[in-house]
Amino acid sequence: GRGVYYVSSDDDGEPWSAPAMLFDAAAAGWASVDHPALAVDARRGLHVAWVRSALLGKGVPAGIMYSHTTGAPGSEDALSWSKPYELAPVGNDWPVLVTTHTGQVHALWHEVSDAMGWYHRWSGDAGTTWSLRARLAGLDGVDGPLQMAADGIGAAHLVGLGTDDAAH
């Protein structure tokens, strides 16, 4: 039963829906999935990213995948999911997602091998197509997780803890 599942509640958690499988890792031949990230857009569409990983967190992550709901929010097909899309290849981990009120989806992740650093891609059409990846300048000392938030005018903001050149 390993994979990515989605549960929801329309009344503050009393009760929760039955788990619905978003991605079947066993059928795809994956050992494990890890570090899922979820974002909800202004139209109540869901966006999910997750990491393909080895069992027990051993080895280098094998990539970051992304999927979003298709169909109109609130309709019977609202929990249909797009085919998983590879946001980042082998050696990347810790995805973060944020959406803006203008329909953009921003994805952020940390490269843990080769050119270590934080990278970003964005979609202007609610996750259907994506920009090329871009390294985020000035974040090389931030090893810990970053978080993103969007403001009322559609800009994305980052926050994280790291060290400066003096190891502070």
Side-chain angles (χ1 to χ4, degrees), residues 90-130:
V90 172
N92 294 281
D93 204 347
W94 298 105
V96 178
L97 296 174
V98 71
T99 63
T100 69
H101 74 280
T102 58
Q104 294 180 348
V105 182
H106 293 268
L108 176 71
W109 65 88
H110 192 245
E111 185 169 324
V112 295
S113 62
D114 297 329
M116 293 181 69
W118 288 94
Y119 291 83
H120 171 255
R121 290 179 80 175
W122 68 278
S123 169
D125 55 11
T128 302
T129 60
W130 288 86

Side-chain angles (χ1 to χ4, degrees), residues 10 23 29 36-38 48 57-58 60 72 78 82 92 96 143 151 160 165 167:
D10 291 330
F23 177 74
L38 171 70
V48 179
K58 303 284 184 196
V60 175
S82 65
N92 294 281
V96 178
D143 294 328
D151 63 23
D165 292 340

Side-chain angles (χ1 to χ4, degrees), residues 134-156:
R135 187 179 178 110
L136 295 174
L139 296 175
D140 291 341
V142 180
D143 294 328
L146 288 178
Q147 288 298 316
M148 261 191 308
D151 63 23
I153 59 171

Side-chain angles (χ1 to χ4, degrees), residues 2-126:
R2 65 186 178 272
V4 180
Y5 292 83
Y6 173 76
V7 295
S8 64
S9 173
D10 291 330
D11 56 2
D12 298 324
E14 296 292 333
W16 288 91
S17 68
M21 184 174 275
L22 182 159
F23 177 74
D24 188 341
W30 289 23
S32 181
V33 296
D34 210 352
H35 306 139
L38 171 70
V40 181
D41 66 29
R43 294 180 17 180
R44 295 180 43 205
L46 304 173
H47 304 266
V48 179
W50 63 92
V51 175
R52 179 179 182 178
S53 62
L55 289 176
L56 303 173
K58 303 284 184 196
V60 175
I64 298 173
M65 303 301 288
Y66 164 85
S67 184
H68 65 273
T69 51
T70 59
S75 70
E76 212 170 281
D77 63 347
L79 283 183
S80 296
W81 294 89
S82 65
K83 179 181 174 184
Y85 172 78
E86 185 179 78
L87 276 177
V90 172
N92 294 281
D93 204 347
W94 298 105
V96 178
L97 296 174
V98 71
T99 63
T100 69
H101 74 280
T102 58
Q104 294 180 348
V105 182
H106 293 268
L108 176 71
W109 65 88
H110 192 245
E111 185 169 324
V112 295
S113 62
D114 297 329
M116 293 181 69
W118 288 94
Y119 291 83
H120 171 255
R121 290 179 80 175
W122 68 278
S123 169
D125 55 11

